Amino acid sequence: MTKRIALLSLLLLCFSGLAAADQAASGDDKTLSVYTYQFKHKQAEKAATAIKTLVSAEGTVAIQSAANSVVITDRAENLKNIAAALQRFDTPPQPVQLSVRLVTAARVEGGGQVPDGLKDVAPKLAMLRYNSFENLGSVSVDGREGEPGIVELGGGYRADFRFGEFDPASDSISLADFKLSKLQGDQLSALYKTTLNLRIGQTLIFGATRDPQSQRALVVVVSARRPQ
């Protein structure tokens, strides 16, 4: 009888130990830690978009503008991924080479010849039912994040823009306030304005505004790549 009681007591102790261990492990999983990151290149206010999908429901993000830093409270396993994402985000201003082409496009009976400089985009323009093209101007410009850009495209046309943030996750850069204008007399008239997100290596076609002096459409072709 004494042996049975001792054995039962030992088993109860073992089960109690296992239950305590399970509770401790469960508590550790829910323990929140604090991580602070001070930015060297980017603005802390813009970091939220880089980590918003990584912060858990229990986590919090506090921006400290004066120190250009962010304080994140979350579970330890989340903080590891968040720290890695912030380090990828906080890179020096990225150089980029932007190519801008201004094209007139029309639909004509029987079609027309495609200039050599437009053969790469002619199939895409054909999807818009254009079959006659003319290259009005083509310019490449080097820049970095945050820098303004101006390119003269010939024929009085000009494009103004600003290189925005580079997103390493999508390998893309934004072009803020891209504006196509034309000098008419001594006045610069705006024809088209937009903001773009352009992936490195991507060719983007947009615009299709009417050329004020003809029945042809104006189309802007832009592409971005890393400088060689």
Side-chain angles (χ1 to χ4, degrees):
M1 184 68 177
T2 303
K3 289 183 179 180
R4 289 182 180 178
I5 293 175
L7 180 59
L8 181 59
S9 299
L10 180 60
L11 289 174
L12 289 173
L13 286 173
C14 290
F15 286 130
S16 298
L18 289 173
D22 289 342
Q23 290 174 0
S26 176
D28 287 342
D29 288 342
K30 296 181 180 180
T31 299
L32 300 181
S33 301
V34 178
Y35 175 75
T36 301
Y37 186 91
Q38 186 169 28
F39 293 88
K40 297 179 181 178
H41 307 288
K42 299 293 179 63
Q43 295 179 1
E45 289 81 358
K46 297 181 179 179
T49 56
I51 60 174
K52 63 181 179 180
T53 60
L54 300 177
V55 180
S56 70
E58 297 89 354
T60 60
V61 178
I63 304 296
Q64 297 183 335
S65 300
N68 196 32
S69 63
V70 61
V71 179
I72 303 158
T73 303
D74 210 332
R75 296 195 296 269
E77 63 270 22
N78 283 352
L79 290 179
K80 292 180 181 179
N81 295 328
I82 291 170
L86 289 174
Q87 290 169 7
R88 290 193 299 269
F89 174 76
D90 189 29
T91 56
Q94 297 294 299
V96 62
Q97 185 178 79
L98 183 72
S99 171
V100 183
R101 286 177 282 178
L102 185 62
V103 179
T104 61
R107 303 181 184 96
V108 299
E109 188 70 26
Q113 292 185 342
V114 179
D116 290 339
L118 298 177
K119 288 183 177 180
D120 61 323
V121 296
K124 295 180 180 180
L125 291 170
M127 294 176 64
L128 301 175
R129 300 183 65 184
Y130 294 120
N131 59 9
S132 177
F133 315 106
E134 181 183 356
N135 192 345
L136 295 183
S138 178
V139 178
S140 293
V141 59
D142 291 334
R144 290 179 179 273
E145 291 177 87
E147 293 182 349
I150 299 176
V151 292
E152 302 290 344
L153 294 165
Y157 291 99
R158 189 176 94 172
D160 300 71
F161 53 89
R162 180 175 56 82
F163 290 106
E165 293 283 343
F166 176 78
D167 179 12
S170 60
D171 198 26
S172 64
I173 190 166
S174 65
L175 293 180
D177 300 329
F178 186 101
K179 181 173 65 175
L180 178 67
S181 306
K182 185 176 184 180
L183 187 64
Q184 297 176 326
D186 58 353
Q187 297 292 323
L188 194 63
S189 301
L191 302 177
Y192 189 85
K193 186 175 181 179
T194 188
T195 293
L196 308 169
N197 284 314
L198 188 61
R199 292 196 306 272
I200 301 299
Q202 177 189 26
T203 297
L204 190 61
I205 300 172
F206 63 94
T209 62
R210 182 68 63 187
D211 185 340
Q213 298 179 353
S214 75
Q215 295 301 309
R216 302 171 72 87
L218 281 172
V219 180
V220 182
V221 181
V222 297
S223 59
R225 65 179 183 179
R226 293 184 176 85
Q228 300 296 323

